Amino acid sequence: MSWDKGRGRREGYHHGNLKEALVEAALDLIARKGPAGFTFAEAARSAGVSPAAPYRHFRDRDELLASIAQQGFEQFEARLNAAWNDGRPDTLTAFQRVGKAYLAFAREHPAHYSAMFESGLPLDGNPALLIASERAFAIIRAAAERLVAMAPPDQPRPPALMMALHIWSLSHGIASLFGRGDATSRKLPMSPEDLLEAGVLVYLKGLGFPTAQQMAQSSAKK
Amino acid sequence: MSWDKGRGRREGYHHGNLKEALVEAALDLIARKGPAGFTFAEAARSAGVSPAAPYRHFRDRDELLASIAQQGFEQFEARLNAAWNDGRPDTLTAFQRVGKAYLAFAREHPAHYSAMFESGLPLDGNPALLIASERAFAIIRAAAERLVAMAPPDQPRPPALMMALHIWSLSHGIASLFGRGDATSRKLPMSPEDLLEAGVLVYLKGLGFPTAQQMAQSSAKK
DNA sequence: TGTACATCAGTGAACGCGCGTTCACTGATGTAC
DNA sequence: TGTACATCAGTGAACGCGCGTTCACTGATGTAC
């Protein structure tokens, strides 16, 4: 029956892809018990391997955790980038889609998200992690810059970096407070997505951007 | 020399205020190692007491953690309330002061803040904690309602609850991403306080509120 | 095609450690009389 | 004022447990010739 212990799928003495299997096991543990609730030993056990085996692939627990966080940032970046889709069909629609992708990632990859933002990994002394994190943020920033470039020319141009920081903070705040499926989430009279979308609309209006209706009208005119 | 071990301040067989001493010790450990990095045993040791002593005051580790989180929410509420100061000298000034108080609390009480928002304590099954959390949020919500009541009557009234949720999320996002003194914080080209203040101003403008300059002018006219 | 050998991923036993928790206990405090 | 007693906060020894880490090892794989 259970000759296939855990997610090991061993076929012989050598595992074959133990490194990935350990990452998978750790993600599972983090999702169930939080970033601090996973142990090297348990990940090994769940991969069907002796407790000493992980040391062939990771120096220690923190290196595995950092590796998960970095992988998370890379997938996060890819997802935001796909949602942005180079600003198609129009900048505002694409911008809002990035916000939705942010929340979707946090909800669908809670373990990655935890490792990225709540694991307490120091960013200095982890340059690769910092870079991966900045590459993800760069998507939001690039989108903000395109929005700024599109702003009505009679308005003062808002600084794109500040915009991006505001949007990021708002998204992260909503994701942290309301955006997880688990018991730590607070109740909300609307979906996190709607809350974020409304907030972004108000914010952009405050910067002098035309509303969605106005944009629809202006694009209908062309 | 060191007859006063740790924060114990014992004077005899009985500690006197062991419960508070344990909370203090736990706060210290959480601030240094994160909410998961504190142990019952270590808190006892740091309070200068045997490992069995804490069981006289807390059922287990989680009860101590929940107690810290609840105390945190209560202090948080008090601080926000003091900053709000019933909307004096004017609603907008007081509102921005609440935002600053939010960030100040997160920075000055990182251990409480962690226990409140990042400890993974389930809110259901912890009714007292949920209530304390909602009482703190109620301050922000009441402030938002006063702002709404003050809105120019020719504008559509924005929903105060949504406003409060946006402001809370933005504050929490900024606090989480940039607002801690430690190594997990990201670099920022401005202070978290300035970032939040600017974001709130833009947001309120987007809702149709008069800007600070306009308000200053209108109050100067009186 | 076969063989010798280097490489290296994983073994399994062992270690020291700190934790959570229990237990019968003991010392201090307060109170009834 | 003194004494007996109930209460209860803290002791200290003990337990079982799982973790991180090390070590000499062994089995599988690939490659040189």
Side-chain angles (χ1 to χ4, degrees), chain B residues 13 15 50 56-57:
Chain B
Y13 189 92
H15 186 286
S50 87
R56 296 281 166 203
H57 300 278

Side-chain angles (χ1 to χ4, degrees), chain B residues 106-175:
Chain B
R107 181 185 292 118
E108 291 166 24
H109 302 277
H112 273 125
Y113 201 81
S114 290
M116 290 154 64
F117 292 113
E118 296 160 8
S119 65
L121 284 173
L123 282 178
D124 41 5
N126 240 326
L129 193 58
L130 182 59
I131 287 169
S133 151
E134 280 170 354
R135 283 171 58 95
F137 173 62
I139 307 291
I140 301 178
R141 185 167 175 181
E145 262 155 20
R146 282 276 282 282
L147 261 183
V148 168
M150 192 203 76
D154 55 324
Q155 295 271 344
R157 291 276 164 103
L161 171 57
M162 191 196 72
M163 259 183 79
L165 290 170
H166 283 146
I167 298 299
W168 187 17
S169 298
L170 183 61
S171 308
H172 181 72
I174 290 176

Side-chain angles (χ1 to χ4, degrees), chain A residues 4-66:
Chain A
D4 176 16
K5 307 204 328 184
R7 56 193 70 239
R9 301 193 266 304
R10 313 273 310 262
E11 286 165 15
Y13 188 92
H14 286 95
H15 187 285
N17 55 347
L18 179 57
K19 189 163 187 170
E20 286 169 44
L22 287 171
V23 167
E24 286 299 315
L27 282 173
D28 206 65
L29 292 171
I30 293 172
R32 280 189 289 120
K33 311 200 247 169
F38 105 91
T39 65
F40 229 33
E42 197 168 357
R45 203 178 313 128
S46 143
V49 104
S50 88
Y55 291 87
R56 296 282 167 204
H57 299 279
F58 300 98
R59 189 164 22 81
D60 54 20
R61 208 194 90 108
D62 264 14
E63 191 174 295
L64 173 50
L65 196 56

Side-chain angles (χ1 to χ4, degrees), chain A residues 102-199:
Chain A
Y102 194 113
L103 297 183
F105 184 89
R107 183 185 289 116
E108 292 165 25
H109 302 277
H112 273 123
Y113 201 80
S114 291
M116 289 154 64
F117 292 112
E118 295 160 9
S119 65
L121 284 173
L123 282 179
D124 40 6
N126 240 327
L129 193 57
L130 182 61
I131 286 169
S133 152
E134 280 172 353
R135 282 171 59 95
F137 173 61
I139 307 290
I140 301 178
R141 185 168 175 181
E145 263 158 15
R146 281 275 283 280
L147 262 182
V148 168
M150 192 202 78
D154 55 325
Q155 296 271 343
R157 293 276 164 104
L161 172 57
M162 192 197 71
M163 259 184 80
L165 289 170
H166 283 145
I167 298 299
W168 186 17
S169 298
L170 183 61
S171 307
H172 181 71
I174 291 177
S176 300
L177 291 173
F178 311 108
R180 329 292 275 281
D182 59 4
T184 65
S185 269
R186 283 160 174 79
K187 293 282 181 294
L188 204 62
M190 66 198 81
S191 76
E193 278 77 8
D194 288 347
L195 184 65
L196 177 58
E197 182 169 353

